Amino acid sequence: MTQLKELPLTTLQFYATAPYACSYLPNKTARSQVATPSHLIHADLYSDLLHAGFRRSGLYTYRPYCDECKACIATRILVNQFTPSRSQRRAQKKHAGLETSVLNLGYQEEHYELYQRYQHERHEGGDMDSADQDQYMQFLLQSRVNSRIVEFRDGPHDPHPGRLRMVSMIDILEQGISSVYTFYDTSSHAASYGSYSILWQIEQARILGLPYLYLGYYIKESNKMSYKINYQPMEGLIDDHWQPLSES
């Protein structure tokens, strides 16, 4: 990992969390390295931290800091070199009729209800109360950088015009777009909303003249995180350097 003394972040302090159960790999423990104080982490500092493999969850900025595991690899897609695969082109065609709106951060009950349904489905019927409103707002609606909400709704020629299908939270930074979180309608098993969101973000980065889409951590052994390798060309932060990352 990048050493802290190499970072131009002299105003920040860093600490390691106590070990906790890993969210992605069974029977593993994890630790995080956290940047503080959060009120100092604005766009320029966060861009430096993102380059060094950090991510944010609300105002909480962290990166993996596990004692014996390096499975989490920070990733970014090279926007100008990206060419969609056959399945990705199908997702583009399937959802080309979705209408998008880019909004400032703010609470909307319709978004929260979709988030609850998504969490309920993804956690295999777990208690929807666990996705409480305060947790949602702290996780997704607090930011000190240039963040936006992107709505995806059915278009006028769809069976349910105006129906909310997907919401993406993104950060727009000097070197690229950072994909924070996406949740969507899981009722249609034939849909490819998640793939379409990534493709939309790649195109938006291209339109804005930004070289990268930061896609979070790739974990080869995790079904939830391994899909990211399908967006090529991709770079991963390995041994302190961004370098090509592929399935091979």
Side-chain angles (χ1 to χ4, degrees):
M1 287 187 177
T2 303
Q3 299 300 307
L4 295 180
K5 61 183 176 61
E6 298 173 5
L7 299 175
L9 306 171
T10 56
T11 57
L12 298 182
Q13 295 181 337
F14 300 83
Y15 71 88
T17 67
Y20 54 89
C22 179
S23 301
Y24 301 106
L25 299 178
N27 305 316
K28 292 276 190 178
T29 58
R31 289 204 303 164
S32 296
Q33 186 177 55
V34 181
T36 61
S38 63
H39 70 269
L40 294 180
I41 303 176
H42 297 278
D44 290 344
L45 274 179
Y46 184 64
S47 291
D48 290 339
L49 288 165
L50 188 68
H51 184 76
F54 283 79
R55 298 281 292 170
R56 72 170 189 89
S57 175
L59 302 181
Y60 179 83
T61 304
Y62 68 96
R63 67 178 175 182
Y65 199 65
C66 303
D67 296 322
E68 298 178 356
C69 179
K70 294 184 178 180
C72 294
I73 300 174
T75 61
R76 64 188 188 188
I77 298 167
L78 281 66
V79 166
N80 291 328
Q81 299 178 38
F82 173 78
T83 300
S85 66
R86 181 177 298 178
S87 63
Q88 290 161 359
R89 290 195 298 271
R90 285 199 298 267
Q92 282 181 316
K93 183 177 181 180
K94 182 185 301 182
H95 299 303
L98 289 175
E99 296 187 332
T100 60
S101 299
V102 180
L103 312 171
N104 291 327
L105 291 189
Y107 180 81
Q108 293 191 35
E109 186 68 22
E110 187 181 18
H111 295 173
Y112 175 57
E113 290 174 355
L114 180 62
Y115 175 79
Q116 281 190 306
R117 294 195 298 272
Y118 177 82
Q119 293 293 331
H120 179 69
E121 176 69 21
R122 285 305 172 101
H123 288 87
E124 299 179 353
D127 184 2
M128 285 180 67
D129 291 339
S130 64
D132 64 76
Q133 189 179 83
D134 286 343
Q135 183 262 356
Y136 168 79
M137 294 177 70
Q138 291 174 15
F139 172 37
L140 294 176
L141 300 183
Q142 294 192 56
S143 172
R144 289 194 170 91
V145 301
N146 184 16
S147 302
R148 294 290 185 271
I149 294 173
V150 186
E151 286 185 343
F152 298 83
R153 296 180 180 273
D154 280 348
H157 302 296
D158 291 315
H160 305 282
R163 180 172 179 175
L164 182 66
R165 292 296 188 177
M166 179 165 58
V167 174
S168 292
M169 271 65 175
I170 61 174
D171 295 336
I172 304 173
L173 303 164
E174 182 179 351
Q175 75 271 40
I177 290 175
S178 177
S179 183
V180 178
Y181 196 72
T182 294
F183 52 95
Y184 49 82
D185 183 354
T186 60
S187 64
S188 176
H189 298 292
S192 303
Y193 292 128
S195 295
Y196 185 75
S197 172
I198 293 172
L199 297 169
W200 185 91
Q201 291 175 48
I202 291 171
E203 183 58 25
Q204 287 305 299
R206 184 179 287 124
I207 290 170
L208 294 172
L210 301 173
Y212 303 114
L213 172 64
Y214 288 82
L215 205 55
Y217 299 115
Y218 163 68
I219 305 173
K220 184 176 182 179
E221 297 83 5
S222 168
N223 290 334
K224 293 180 180 179
M225 306 293 273
S226 60
Y227 71 90
K228 299 177 183 184
I229 202 68
N230 297 324
Y231 296 85
Q232 293 289 332
M234 170 176 282
E235 291 183 337
L237 187 62
I238 302 171
D239 296 330
D240 305 338
H241 299 288
W242 288 99
Q243 52 191 283
L245 183 67
S246 65
E247 289 183 290
S248 58

